Amino acid sequence: ALMSYASALEPLRAANQRAGRTLYRWRHATPDGKPAHSSSGLAIAPDVAVGETGGIDRLAVVAAAEGAAMEDAATLAWLRRLAQRGVRLGGVSGGPFVLARAGVLDGYRCTVHWDHYAAFIERFPQLDVTRSLFEIDRGRFTCAGGIAGLDMMHALIAGQHGRALASEVSDW
């Protein structure tokens, strides 16, 4: 859903704007290199290839329920390589399914969209899954989708750049 994507990305843009400098940069990747289409039809073109690692310090997987069926070996291997390099990995809405399939949520608290909760815990019973709007646990961050991304990003911005900036972003 576009709302899940925008709720995770827009606070970063707002943080840059409110800080008056570039704190965050983002790029997009898709498993097949083709544009990703939101449920409303908006196309988001990839600008990096799955497998590229240069300059990535944080990566968020945004997916719908289809994330549960994600089996792209190259993408899952890429996520494992990023985790081994210490890249902070996140999942939005159905994105935690992709991270769990890659095996990078083991040992971390996580959450998933309420509509996917039962299927998620059935498929990944070893994971520490909560019903929170978001979870930030060391190098992993997950949220329930929709506008939960706003709250999660507020917490991430506060942790990285202080509460004052995070409050300005929230007020904006």
Side-chain angles (χ1 to χ4, degrees):
L2 185 57
M3 185 178 297
S4 295
Y5 166 80
S7 292
L9 181 64
E10 279 297 301
L12 302 179
R13 185 197 61 75
N16 288 347
Q17 189 266 336
R18 300 306 301 161
R21 61 189 173 97
T22 302
L23 302 174
Y24 299 99
R25 291 187 178 99
W26 47 91
R27 297 178 290 167
H28 299 88
T30 59
D32 60 7
K34 297 178 183 174
H37 294 318
S38 74
S39 55
S40 63
L42 180 72
I44 300 167
D47 41 23
V48 298
V50 164
E52 205 171 301
T53 58
I56 297 174
D57 60 4
R58 186 172 299 176
L59 183 132
V61 177
V62 181
E66 293 80 14
M70 161 56 114
E71 294 184 6
D72 184 71
T75 299
L76 298 176
W78 181 44
L79 292 170
R80 286 190 290 274
R81 281 193 310 276
L82 290 173
Q84 289 170 348
R85 283 189 40 226
V87 171
R88 294 175 182 210
L89 299 173
V92 176
S93 191
F97 270 105
V98 179
L99 297 177
R101 286 188 59 85
V104 298
L105 288 180
D106 292 357
Y108 295 90
R109 267 185 342 276
C110 62
T111 194
V112 68
H113 189 281
W114 65 267
D115 197 35
H116 311 314
Y117 182 82
F120 191 79
I121 61 171
E122 181 178 318
R123 187 160 193 162
F124 306 104
Q126 79 281 9
L127 295 181
D128 183 5
V129 186
T130 72
R131 289 186 174 265
S132 301
L133 287 178
F134 68 90
E135 285 290 347
I136 300 171
D137 186 5
R138 296 164 285 147
R140 302 294 178 269
F141 54 100
T142 54
C143 74
I147 61 171
L150 290 170
D151 294 322
M152 180 176 72
M153 299 314 283
H154 173 90
L156 289 170
I157 292 166
Q160 192 170 18
H161 297 287
R163 285 202 156 113
L165 178 62
S167 291
E168 282 189 52
V169 170
S170 291
D171 289 345
W172 167 86

